[in-house]
Amino acid sequence: MVGWGLMPPRQRLVGSAALPLAAGQSALNGWVKIGTDDRVTVMIAKSEMGQGVTTALAMLLADELDARWDQVNVESSPIDPIYNNVATVVDGLPFHPDDHGPVRSTLEWLTAKSIREFGLMVTGGSSSIKDLWLPMREAGASARAMLANAAAQRWQVPPAECQVAEGRITHASGKTARFGELAAQAANGTLPERVPLKRVDQFRLIGQPVRRIDAGAKLVGAARFGIDMVLPGMLHARVLMCPTLGGTVASFEAAQAVAMPGVRKVVAVKGYNGGTAGVAVIADQPYRAMQALAKVAVHWQHGPAAGFSSERFERELTATLERESGHAYCTRGDATAALANAARTVSATYSAPYLAHAALEPMNCTVLVEDTRATVWASTQVPGIARRAAAKALDLDTSQVDVQVQFLGGGFGRRLDVDFVGQAAAIAAQVRGTPVQTIWSREQDMTHDFYRPACASRFVAGLDPQGRLLAWQNISASQAIIPQVLGRYFGLPAAGPDKTTAEGAFDQPYEWPAARIAHQVVDAPIPVGPWRSVGHSHQAFFKESFVDEVAHAAGQDPVAFRAALLTRHPRHLAVLRLAAERAGWGRPLPSAPDGAPMARGIALHQSFGAVVAQVAEVSLDPRRRIRVHKVTCVIDCGFVVNPNLVRQQIEGGIVFGLSAALYGGVTIVDGQVRQSNFHDQPVLRIDECPVIDTHLVASDLPPEGVGEPGTAPIAPALGNALFALTGQRLRTLPFKLA
């Protein structure tokens, strides 16, 4: 074990099995294939759910390979340990970003080694580019060197004299060859042990606003999402699950349904991977399956969640803050003593509700079960876990299950779970030899989610006579996500603290003179899971709103108050000041188009390695409804691989966060979710969308997260603007003015 621990992590260039090849293709490593037609196929190990990851990752490899962009296409990778997501697990260790000590570095080293061998292929945690920033570039550079070596052998010249550019290898003698002419010879060569990577000033594609590689197919409707799967002879299944989360089927009567045209079977299905049990109808057409399902009479066993009320649980969370001290994630000095000596204290309690993911593409999965094999077509963020779920449901070995990952019509963390995959596999097993597509209705999707946990948070801050901050004390309470996820994935209990419960509260740059930031886990029989920006989604609202409260109590400008707490964090201070400058902070705002007064609010937050500041400009309409006119956003996410993609993700994150801040909230009564569709769980409409002005900070640091950091700060920026406009401090989401 000691020897294993001291050795470096294994390479991530060559997989445990050879890549599948089409006619004329050669694989130069586990990430790239080149055909005799000069097509460069980049293997994509991350799921495309609108974030543009297929484009960004292909750019990394193609630039180092020196391929032409018009000769590049992409293909989903197989499931293999070299594609395991190392970065997201390492980032999940509960360390403060300012902690650079030996304990952290040692644990990160060992974690990276372990995840390379025993981890998961995951698209999540805003980690795709961060995780593959080096492996994709190394794969391209290695393939480039192998092509140059092949040319050198053919021409009997030193490899250093062979130049690679624009998909060709050339020599000063005038000799030239295309990639496709040398690919087979290069693939038979030796993988270089170490190759130099390009300097920033040598990049041709990386850093440029390259057009998305999937844009054309999506514009003409050719892109295939999970729900678009059509196979010869395919049957269709619709599911009705117990309305109580975690409930089961006691019995059902299906005589009427079975007698309807086109109906093949009506079956009970248990809850898979943390899901809820129900009844499925399999028919030859989707509409017939839907009509027949309405004729099935089901008697439910409602289970432990039957007595659960979200309103009562939220009161329990608030009461927990008064009687528990929680697990401390951050301590500096003696916050209790500093508060006792403060000239003035400020306190407040905040709360946020359960939230559904509400991805526009509802849960669906198509499965073909044959004698000893199965094929799964799914929109999933975790193909390896999806394969395991299908194999377990079918009593097969994972090697007997093939997972074909499709485009995702929204993930947001919901497709990190695989309850729908196990369920679809079990349904398809009822008609072996025929593919079956299982699609959930919007109502079944909304009422059978793995929800963002409800959370409550209490703050106390102490000020000296001059209004300077002396102490910061914060405790929050909620369910924990990671123990549930590990149970659903592996049937294992979790050990140690769950960072996601307190992220966004303890891991921030503010230089508290004295602080204690803690979290108390409160169990409940409600399934919870990662929701876009996870703990940051509510902790940023709590923290940045209370920072504003303290600034107001101290009689200070919110920007100046924050700046005074960032003297040793120039990166964060620069983001804060740039956002204030670009938003015109301190200058009077004009009236809204209807003449109503407007106000600004600001928030600064770090998540997934990126630093984001946002300024929201708001007004109220004549009926006192909230209108957001403009959001100015500044992000420092390290090196920007593709500025178009970053801006798109920031815009999407802001719209997602505004939807939750204005409308989001799941109510649970007797274990049953009351919201069922977009009429009672709205998302932001196009006529409500503000102007979004995004500014990217130039940086030579390695890339950090982008997909989620834009979501977290918008709720507090909006809440702080509403306080400036109305004098009301709104401490509960979604926002409702008195």
Side-chain angles (χ1 to χ4, degrees), residues 21 44 49 55 85 92 110 114 142 161 175 182 259 261-262 364 420 447 457 470 490 504 576 628 657 691 718:
L21 301 174
I44 303 297
M49 46 190 168
T55 301
N85 190 325
L110 292 174
S114 300
S142 295
E161 294 181 4
K175 293 184 174 67
L182 295 169
N364 67 88
F420 62 99
T447 57
S457 184
L470 294 176
F490 309 113
L576 175 70
V628 186
V691 173
L718 173 56

Side-chain angles (χ1 to χ4, degrees), residues 255-277:
Q256 278 187 279
V258 171
M260 295 177 70
V263 173
R264 301 296 179 85
K265 281 193 175 184
V266 180
V267 297
V269 286
K270 67 179 185 179
Y272 289 87
N273 300 91
T276 298

Side-chain angles (χ1 to χ4, degrees), residues 293-317:
L293 189 61
K295 299 295 184 181
V296 180
V298 188
H299 305 281
W300 303 107
Q301 183 68 42
H302 291 279
F308 180 88
S309 158
S310 57
E311 182 180 355
R312 187 167 58 247
F313 183 64
E314 287 163 11
R315 292 197 299 268
E316 180 184 344
L317 292 176

